Amino acid sequence: QVQLVQSGSELKKPGASVKLSCKASGYTFTDYGMNWMRQAPGQGLEWMGWINTNTGDRTYAQGFTGRFVFSLDTSVSTAYLQISSLKAEDTAVYFCARERFTSSWYADFWGQGTLVTVSS
Amino acid sequence: DIQMTQSPSSLSASVGDRVNITCRASQSISNHLNWYQQKPGIAPKLLIYAASSLQSGVPSRFSGSRSGTDFTLTISSLQPEDFATYYCQQTYSSPRTFGQGTKVEIK
């Protein structure tokens, strides 16, 4: 069965960096893209962007350029999100989600989320 | 960017009620509209994709429809497990914006 398992919670100081992982299983990793979403405490969902797991092409939403980097290790079916120069406002749950196309694009399977807390 | 305006932002309903949640796009998005359900502390779950296609395993009491740039998620008979927050998302163009969410609470 399809599963996306994300890495555990992180507590970081402002200015530090963090690298989150999203390990896929149950399907061919490079057949589907990977989305990343952010959800700040008590807030709604924000689409951060997506990475084409076949070509490595990345698309970032405005507001998630520069400090946010999507990457892959296809040998272990894992997608990564690295955030540098962390700020308090980066405190949020970060979700990865598999992207599928059947007459439209949609995220059909989601990871459980990783909580990143940025605090001094 | 395409703006997605969801209404209402919250609603109170009873078990067995018919519930409609609407999402309006700021421009044409064809049928590129998805609906997700999220319960507290849990990742969102896909309910409807391409405006009206029911995701595998989702109960048939959930349905989606489209009229121009207005999209509706309907729960035909609300069940106790349906109390949650619902989000629409357009995937017509980048950024793939979400609506602000509709919280469905118990009356």
Side-chain angles (χ1 to χ4, degrees):
Chain A
Q1 72 283 20
V2 173
Q3 278 194 305
L4 299 176
V5 178
Q6 296 187 239
S7 48
S9 297
E10 300 272 5
L11 174 60
K12 295 291 185 181
K13 294 188 184 304
S17 295
V18 70
K19 190 171 185 178
L20 314 182
S21 66
C22 171
K23 183 170 176 59
S25 61
Y27 70 98
T28 301
F29 183 66
T30 51
D31 282 351
Y32 300 85
M34 194 69 76
N35 288 271
W36 287 94
M37 271 68 67
R38 182 172 79 176
Q39 188 168 40
Q43 302 301 308
L45 295 164
E46 281 184 277
W47 184 76
M48 300 174 66
W50 77 290
I51 184 165
N52 184 318
T53 55
N54 192 38
T55 66
D57 289 345
R58 303 163 180 89
T59 300
Y60 297 95
Q62 197 170 8
F64 295 102
T65 56
R67 297 191 300 115
F68 299 82
V69 177
F70 307 145
S71 61
L72 303 168
D73 185 342
T74 56
S75 68
V76 290
S77 300
T78 301
Y80 300 94
L81 167 63
Q82 183 159 1
I83 312 170
S84 58
S85 302
L86 283 161
K87 306 175 182 180
E89 51 264 41
D90 294 324
T91 294
V93 176
Y94 293 83
F95 295 101
C96 61
R98 187 181 84 161
E99 172 141 302
R100 184 168 181 179
F101 183 86
T102 308
S103 71
S104 183
W105 297 101
Y106 54 96
D108 62 348
F109 286 93
W110 293 59
Q112 82 276 19
T114 296
L115 173 62
V116 175
T117 303
V118 183
S119 174
S120 55
Chain B
D1 296 1
I2 296 174
Q3 307 303 315
M4 304 303 297
T5 304
Q6 253 183 269
S7 60
S9 55
S10 65
L11 65 90
S12 294
S14 301
V15 172
D17 284 353
R18 182 180 183 90
V19 169
N20 290 316
I21 299 169
T22 298
C23 200
R24 173 168 290 174
S26 60
Q27 64 186 73
S28 175
I29 58 170
S30 185
N31 69 332
H32 299 285
L33 190 285
N34 309 316
W35 290 99
Y36 300 92
Q37 176 195 66
Q38 187 179 30
K39 297 180 180 179
I42 299 176
K45 172 187 173 183
L46 176 69
L47 299 176
I48 301 285
Y49 63 93
S52 59
S53 295
L54 190 69
Q55 171 67 351
S56 176
V58 174
S60 59
R61 64 181 178 273
F62 292 93
S63 63
S65 62
R66 170 196 173 195
S67 176
T69 58
D70 289 343
F71 298 83
T72 301
L73 173 69
T74 299
I75 309 172
S76 59
S77 177
L78 198 66
Q79 297 301 300
E81 60 268 31
D82 301 336
F83 292 96
T85 300
Y86 294 83
Y87 294 94
C88 62
Q89 183 200 24
Q90 66 82 18
T91 56
Y92 179 79
S93 68
S94 183
R96 296 177 180 177
T97 39
F98 286 90
Q100 75 272 28
T102 296
K103 187 173 184 179
V104 176
E105 298 176 302
I106 301 171
K107 181 183 279 185

